[in-house]
Amino acid sequence: MKPDTLLHSNNGTAPAEDCNMSPVGAVALYVGCSELWTTVTPDNAFLYVYNSCVSEQWMLSSDNIIIGVPVNEWHIELKAGQSVMVVPVDDDAWVVCPFFCDDHTAELLLQTDVRLLPTTPPFTDQLTGSTMEATTQFIGQPFVRWAIERRIAFEQISGGESMLSARIFPVVHDIGDIGLVLRWMLNEGHLPGGRLLWNESSKMNIAEVSQSFNPQRYQEQGSEFYRLHKPFLQRNYSQQIYHAVPNDSSDTTATL
């Protein structure tokens, strides 16, 4: 699916629940201010992409949410439900936040103003329980198993035993490192360099991620995605699909 099938709105203030579906088979596809270069098929049952670059090397499945990902050429596989939010912090850093898309998360996402996603992550409700309990989930699997597979000692995790307070989301300063640590956190627990990067990075809990979010950088990234692909929207106006325009954009010439 190329950027000429991006979805469009006139002012970017409409919540995602007002989106129309993109006409890609049976796919429920919501895309705003993004580059989506990978192939989308009817097997990708629910996709939500906002302010992100999904390059040709990405492999998607179903129930994937992708938010805030900068321009990249990473080789990323998202299995069913696996999702990611990349949050800009300070002037030159990002926090990498993989999570799982369940029905409740998807419902919350579609009720949230897209401009506020990093300050109100739709997956916060998933961060319940103790990091030591076998029933506590993280990215669709028991957190204990996730940590053991990555040789993370529980005493390494600062912030206490609560998933809400546990500092597990790494802060990185290089776009390539985002992809590396994301692959390691998702499906490649033995990926060389992934564990070292996670160990050496400072980390945040979900409240700290929200508090440290840099909205200016987030907005600038989304505006640039929209500027680059506005010609595609104008050329393909007849497709009648939906795209979220940055909130500070006063140019509505691409409105359908």
Coordinates of all heavy atoms in Angstrom, one line a residue, residues 1-8 29-38 47-55 65-72 114 117 218-230 232-233 242-246:
M1 N 0.8 -1.2 0.0 CA 0.0 0.0 0.0 C 0.9 1.2 0.0 O 1.7 1.4 0.9 CB -0.9 0.0 1.2 CG -1.7 1.2 1.3 SD -3.4 0.8 1.8 CE -4.1 2.4 1.8
K2 N 0.7 2.1 -1.0 CA 1.5 3.3 -1.1 C 0.8 4.5 -0.5 O -0.3 4.5 -0.2 CB 1.9 3.5 -2.6 CG 2.5 2.3 -3.2 CD 3.8 1.8 -2.5 CE 4.4 0.7 -3.2 NZ 5.6 0.1 -2.4
P3 N 1.6 5.6 -0.4 CA 1.0 6.8 0.3 C -0.1 7.4 -0.4 O -0.8 8.3 0.1 CB 2.2 7.8 0.4 CG 3.4 6.9 0.4 CD 3.0 5.8 -0.5
D4 N -0.4 7.1 -1.7 CA -1.5 7.7 -2.4 C -2.8 7.1 -1.9 O -3.9 7.5 -2.4 CB -1.4 7.5 -3.9 CG -1.2 6.1 -4.3 OD1 -0.9 5.2 -3.4 OD2 -1.4 5.8 -5.5
T5 N -2.8 6.2 -0.9 CA -4.0 5.7 -0.4 C -4.2 6.1 1.1 O -4.9 5.5 1.9 CB -4.1 4.2 -0.5 OG1 -2.9 3.6 0.1 CG2 -4.3 3.7 -1.9
L6 N -3.5 7.2 1.5 CA -3.6 7.7 2.8 C -5.1 8.2 3.0 O -5.8 8.5 2.1 CB -2.7 8.9 3.0 CG -1.2 8.5 3.1 CD1 -0.3 9.8 3.2 CD2 -0.9 7.6 4.3
L7 N -5.4 8.3 4.3 CA -6.8 8.7 4.6 C -6.9 10.2 5.0 O -5.9 10.8 5.5 CB -7.3 7.9 5.8 CG -7.0 6.4 5.7 CD1 -7.5 5.6 6.9 CD2 -7.7 5.8 4.4
H8 N -8.0 10.8 4.7 CA -8.0 12.3 4.8 C -9.2 12.9 5.6 O -10.3 12.4 5.5 CB -8.1 12.8 3.3 CG -8.0 14.3 3.3 ND1 -6.8 15.0 3.4 CD2 -9.0 15.2 3.1 CE1 -7.1 16.3 3.3 NE2 -8.4 16.5 3.1
L29 N -8.6 0.0 8.0 CA -7.3 0.7 7.9 C -7.4 2.2 8.2 O -8.1 2.9 7.5 CB -6.7 0.5 6.5 CG -5.4 1.2 6.2 CD1 -4.3 0.7 7.1 CD2 -5.0 1.0 4.7
Y30 N -6.7 2.6 9.3 CA -6.8 4.0 9.7 C -5.3 4.6 9.5 O -4.4 4.1 10.2 CB -7.3 4.2 11.1 CG -8.6 3.6 11.4 CD1 -8.8 2.3 11.6 CD2 -9.8 4.5 11.3 CE1 -10.1 1.8 11.9 CE2 -11.0 3.9 11.5 CZ -11.2 2.6 11.8 OH -12.4 2.1 12.0
V31 N -5.1 5.5 8.7 CA -3.8 6.1 8.5 C -3.9 7.6 8.5 O -4.7 8.2 7.8 CB -3.2 5.6 7.1 CG1 -1.8 6.1 7.0 CG2 -3.2 4.1 7.0
G32 N -3.0 8.2 9.3 CA -2.9 9.7 9.3 C -1.5 10.2 9.4 O -0.7 9.6 10.2
C33 N -1.2 11.2 8.6 CA 0.1 11.8 8.6 C 1.2 10.8 8.6 O 2.1 10.8 9.5 CB 0.3 12.7 9.8 SG -1.0 14.0 9.9
S34 N 1.2 9.9 7.7 CA 2.1 8.7 7.7 C 2.6 8.3 6.3 O 2.0 8.7 5.3 CB 1.5 7.5 8.4 OG 1.1 7.8 9.7
E35 N 3.7 7.5 6.3 CA 4.1 6.8 5.1 C 3.9 5.4 5.4 O 4.4 4.8 6.3 CB 5.6 7.1 4.9 CG 6.0 8.4 4.5 CD 7.5 8.5 4.2 OE1 8.3 8.6 5.2 OE2 7.9 8.5 3.1
L36 N 3.1 4.7 4.5 CA 2.9 3.3 4.6 C 3.3 2.6 3.3 O 2.5 2.7 2.3 CB 1.4 3.1 4.9 CG 0.9 1.6 5.1 CD1 1.7 1.0 6.2 CD2 -0.6 1.6 5.4
W37 N 4.5 2.1 3.3 CA 5.1 1.5 2.0 C 5.0 0.0 2.0 O 5.1 -0.6 0.9 CB 6.5 1.9 1.9 CG 6.7 3.4 1.7 CD1 7.1 4.3 2.6 CD2 6.6 4.1 0.5 NE1 7.2 5.6 2.1 CE2 6.9 5.5 0.8 CE3 6.2 3.7 -0.8 CZ2 6.8 6.4 -0.2 CZ3 6.1 4.7 -1.8 CH2 6.4 6.1 -1.5
T38 N 4.7 -0.7 3.1 CA 4.6 -2.1 3.0 C 3.3 -2.6 2.4 O 2.4 -1.8 2.3 CB 4.8 -2.7 4.5 OG1 5.1 -4.1 4.4 CG2 3.6 -2.4 5.3
L47 N -5.6 -2.3 11.1 CA -4.3 -1.5 11.2 C -4.6 -0.1 11.5 O -5.5 0.5 11.0 CB -3.6 -1.6 9.9 CG -3.1 -3.0 9.4 CD1 -2.4 -2.8 8.0 CD2 -2.2 -3.6 10.4
Y48 N -3.8 0.5 12.4 CA -4.0 1.9 12.8 C -2.6 2.5 12.8 O -1.7 2.1 13.6 CB -4.6 2.0 14.2 CG -4.9 3.4 14.6 CD1 -6.3 3.9 14.6 CD2 -3.9 4.3 15.0 CE1 -6.6 5.2 15.0 CE2 -4.2 5.6 15.3 CZ -5.6 6.1 15.3 OH -5.9 7.4 15.7
V49 N -2.4 3.4 11.9 CA -1.0 4.0 11.7 C -1.2 5.5 11.8 O -1.9 6.1 11.0 CB -0.4 3.6 10.4 CG1 1.0 4.2 10.3 CG2 -0.4 2.1 10.2
Y50 N -0.5 6.2 12.7 CA -0.6 7.6 12.8 C 0.8 8.2 13.1 O 1.6 7.7 13.9 CB -1.5 8.0 14.0 CG -1.7 9.5 14.0 CD1 -2.5 10.1 13.0 CD2 -1.1 10.3 14.9 CE1 -2.7 11.5 13.0 CE2 -1.2 11.7 14.9 CZ -2.1 12.3 14.0 OH -2.2 13.7 13.9
N51 N 1.1 9.3 12.3 CA 2.4 10.0 12.5 C 3.6 9.0 12.4 O 4.5 9.1 13.3 CB 2.4 10.8 13.8 CG 3.4 11.9 13.8 OD1 4.3 11.9 12.9 ND2 3.4 12.7 14.8
S52 N 3.6 8.2 11.4 CA 4.6 7.1 11.4 C 5.1 6.8 10.0 O 4.4 7.0 9.0 CB 4.1 5.8 12.0 OG 3.8 6.0 13.4
C53 N 6.3 6.2 9.9 CA 6.8 5.6 8.7 C 6.8 4.1 8.9 O 7.5 3.6 9.8 CB 8.2 6.2 8.4 SG 9.0 5.4 7.0
V54 N 6.1 3.4 8.0 CA 6.2 2.0 7.9 C 6.8 1.6 6.6 O 6.2 1.7 5.6 CB 4.7 1.4 8.1 CG1 4.8 -0.1 8.0 CG2 4.1 1.9 9.3
S55 N 8.1 1.3 6.6 CA 8.8 1.1 5.4 C 8.5 -0.3 4.8 O 7.8 -1.1 5.4 CB 10.3 1.3 5.7 OG 10.8 0.3 6.6
I65 N -1.1 -1.5 15.9 CA -1.1 -0.1 16.1 C 0.3 0.4 16.0 O 1.2 -0.1 16.7 CB -1.8 0.2 17.4 CG1 -3.2 -0.3 17.5 CG2 -1.8 1.7 17.6 CD1 -3.8 -0.2 18.9
I66 N 0.5 1.5 15.2 CA 1.8 2.1 15.0 C 1.7 3.6 15.2 O 1.0 4.2 14.4 CB 2.4 1.7 13.6 CG1 2.4 0.2 13.5 CG2 3.8 2.3 13.4 CD1 2.7 -0.3 12.0
I67 N 2.4 4.1 16.1 CA 2.2 5.6 16.5 C 3.6 6.2 16.7 O 4.4 5.7 17.5 CB 1.3 5.8 17.7 CG1 0.0 5.2 17.5 CG2 1.2 7.2 18.1 CD1 -0.9 5.1 18.8
G68 N 3.9 7.3 16.0 CA 5.0 8.1 16.3 C 6.4 7.6 15.8 O 7.4 8.1 16.1
V69 N 6.3 6.6 14.8 CA 7.6 6.1 14.3 C 8.2 7.0 13.3 O 7.6 7.3 12.3 CB 7.3 4.7 13.7 CG1 8.6 4.1 13.1 CG2 6.8 3.7 14.8
P70 N 9.5 7.4 13.5 CA 10.1 8.3 12.5 C 10.5 7.5 11.3 O 10.4 6.3 11.2 CB 11.3 8.8 13.3 CG 11.7 7.7 14.3 CD 10.3 7.1 14.7
V71 N 11.0 8.3 10.3 CA 11.4 7.7 9.0 C 12.5 6.7 9.3 O 13.5 6.9 10.1 CB 12.0 8.8 8.1 CG1 12.6 8.1 6.8 CG2 10.9 9.7 7.7
N72 N 12.4 5.5 8.7 CA 13.3 4.4 9.0 C 13.4 3.4 7.9 O 12.5 3.4 7.0 CB 12.8 3.7 10.3 CG 11.5 2.9 10.1 OD1 11.5 1.8 9.7 ND2 10.4 3.6 10.3
V114 N -6.3 12.0 18.3 CA -5.0 11.6 17.8 C -3.8 12.5 18.2 O -2.7 12.0 18.3 CB -5.0 11.4 16.3 CG1 -5.9 10.2 15.9 CG2 -5.4 12.7 15.5
L117 N -2.3 11.3 21.7 CA -2.0 9.9 22.0 C -0.8 9.7 22.9 O -0.9 8.9 23.8 CB -1.7 9.2 20.6 CG -3.0 8.9 19.9 CD1 -2.7 8.3 18.5 CD2 -3.9 7.9 20.6
Y218 N 6.8 16.0 18.0 CA 5.7 15.1 17.5 C 4.9 15.8 16.3 O 4.7 15.2 15.3 CB 4.9 14.7 18.6 CG 3.8 13.6 18.3 CD1 4.1 12.3 18.2 CD2 2.4 14.0 18.2 CE1 3.1 11.3 17.9 CE2 1.5 13.1 18.0 CZ 1.8 11.7 17.9 OH 0.9 10.8 17.6
Q219 N 4.6 17.0 16.6 CA 3.8 17.8 15.6 C 4.6 18.0 14.4 O 4.1 17.9 13.2 CB 3.3 19.1 16.2 CG 2.5 20.0 15.3 CD 1.2 19.4 15.0 OE1 0.6 18.7 15.8 NE2 0.7 19.6 13.7
E220 N 5.9 18.4 14.5 CA 6.7 18.7 13.4 C 6.9 17.4 12.5 O 6.9 17.5 11.3 CB 8.1 19.2 13.8 CG 8.0 20.6 14.4 CD 9.4 21.0 15.0 OE1 10.3 20.1 15.1 OE2 9.5 22.2 15.4
Q221 N 7.0 16.3 13.1 CA 7.1 15.0 12.3 C 5.9 14.8 11.5 O 5.9 14.4 10.3 CB 7.4 13.9 13.3 CG 7.5 12.5 12.6 CD 7.9 11.4 13.5 OE1 9.0 11.3 13.9 NE2 6.9 10.5 13.8
G222 N 4.7 14.9 12.2 CA 3.4 14.7 11.5 C 3.2 15.6 10.4 O 2.7 15.3 9.3
S223 N 3.6 16.9 10.6 CA 3.4 17.9 9.6 C 4.3 17.6 8.4 O 3.8 17.9 7.2 CB 3.7 19.3 10.1 OG 2.8 19.7 11.2
E224 N 5.5 17.2 8.6 CA 6.4 16.8 7.5 C 5.8 15.7 6.7 O 5.9 15.7 5.5 CB 7.8 16.5 8.0 CG 8.8 16.2 7.0 CD 9.1 17.3 6.0 OE1 8.6 18.5 6.2 OE2 9.8 17.1 5.0
F225 N 5.3 14.6 7.4 CA 4.7 13.5 6.6 C 3.6 14.0 5.8 O 3.4 13.6 4.6 CB 4.2 12.5 7.6 CG 5.2 11.5 8.2 CD1 5.2 11.2 9.5 CD2 6.2 11.0 7.4 CE1 6.2 10.4 10.1 CE2 7.2 10.1 7.9 CZ 7.2 9.8 9.3
Y226 N 2.7 14.9 6.3 CA 1.6 15.4 5.5 C 2.1 16.2 4.4 O 1.6 16.1 3.2 CB 0.7 16.2 6.4 CG -0.4 16.9 5.7 CD1 -1.4 16.1 5.1 CD2 -0.5 18.3 5.5 CE1 -2.5 16.7 4.4 CE2 -1.5 18.9 4.8 CZ -2.5 18.1 4.2 OH -3.5 18.7 3.5
R227 N 3.1 17.1 4.6 CA 3.6 17.9 3.5 C 4.1 17.1 2.3 O 3.9 17.4 1.2 CB 4.7 18.8 4.0 CG 5.2 19.8 3.0 CD 6.5 20.5 3.5 NE 7.6 19.6 3.6 CZ 8.3 19.2 2.6 NH1 8.1 19.7 1.4 NH2 9.4 18.4 2.8
L228 N 4.8 16.0 2.7 CA 5.4 15.2 1.6 C 4.4 14.5 0.8 O 4.6 14.3 -0.4 CB 6.4 14.2 2.3 CG 7.7 14.7 2.9 CD1 8.4 13.6 3.6 CD2 8.6 15.3 1.8
H229 N 3.3 14.1 1.4 CA 2.3 13.3 0.7 C 1.0 14.0 0.3 O 0.1 13.4 -0.2 CB 2.0 12.0 1.5 CG 3.3 11.2 1.7 ND1 4.0 10.7 0.7 CD2 4.0 11.0 2.9 CE1 5.0 10.1 1.2 NE2 5.1 10.2 2.5
K230 N 1.0 15.3 0.6 CA -0.2 16.1 0.1 C -0.4 16.0 -1.4 O -1.6 15.8 -1.8 CB 0.0 17.5 0.5 CG -1.1 18.5 0.1 CD -0.8 19.9 0.6 CE -1.8 20.9 0.1 NZ -1.5 22.2 0.6
F232 N 0.0 13.4 -3.3 CA -0.7 12.1 -3.5 C -2.2 12.2 -3.2 O -3.1 11.7 -3.9 CB -0.1 11.0 -2.7 CG 1.3 10.7 -3.1 CD1 2.4 11.1 -2.4 CD2 1.6 9.9 -4.3 CE1 3.7 10.8 -2.7 CE2 2.9 9.6 -4.6 CZ 3.9 10.0 -3.9
L233 N -2.5 13.0 -2.1 CA -3.9 13.1 -1.7 C -4.7 13.9 -2.8 O -5.8 13.6 -3.1 CB -4.0 13.9 -0.4 CG -3.4 13.2 0.8 CD1 -3.3 14.1 2.0 CD2 -4.2 11.9 1.2
Y242 N -9.8 8.6 4.2 CA -9.6 9.5 5.3 C -8.2 9.7 5.7 O -7.4 8.7 5.8 CB -10.4 8.9 6.5 CG -10.4 9.7 7.7 CD1 -11.5 10.5 8.1 CD2 -9.3 9.8 8.5 CE1 -11.5 11.2 9.2 CE2 -9.3 10.5 9.7 CZ -10.4 11.3 10.0 OH -10.4 12.0 11.2
H243 N -7.8 10.9 5.9 CA -6.4 11.2 6.3 C -6.5 12.4 7.4 O -7.2 13.3 7.2 CB -5.6 11.7 5.1 CG -4.2 12.1 5.5 ND1 -3.3 11.2 6.0 CD2 -3.6 13.3 5.5 CE1 -2.1 11.8 6.2 NE2 -2.3 13.1 6.0
A244 N -5.8 12.2 8.4 CA -5.8 13.3 9.5 C -4.7 14.3 9.2 O -3.6 14.0 9.0 CB -5.5 12.6 10.8
V245 N -5.1 15.5 9.1 CA -4.2 16.6 8.8 C -3.7 17.2 10.1 O -4.5 17.3 11.1 CB -5.0 17.7 8.0 CG1 -4.1 18.9 7.7 CG2 -5.5 17.2 6.7
P246 N -2.4 17.6 10.2 CA -1.9 18.2 11.4 C -2.8 19.4 11.9 O -3.3 20.2 11.1 CB -0.5 18.7 11.0 CG -0.1 17.9 9.9 CD -1.4 17.6 9.1

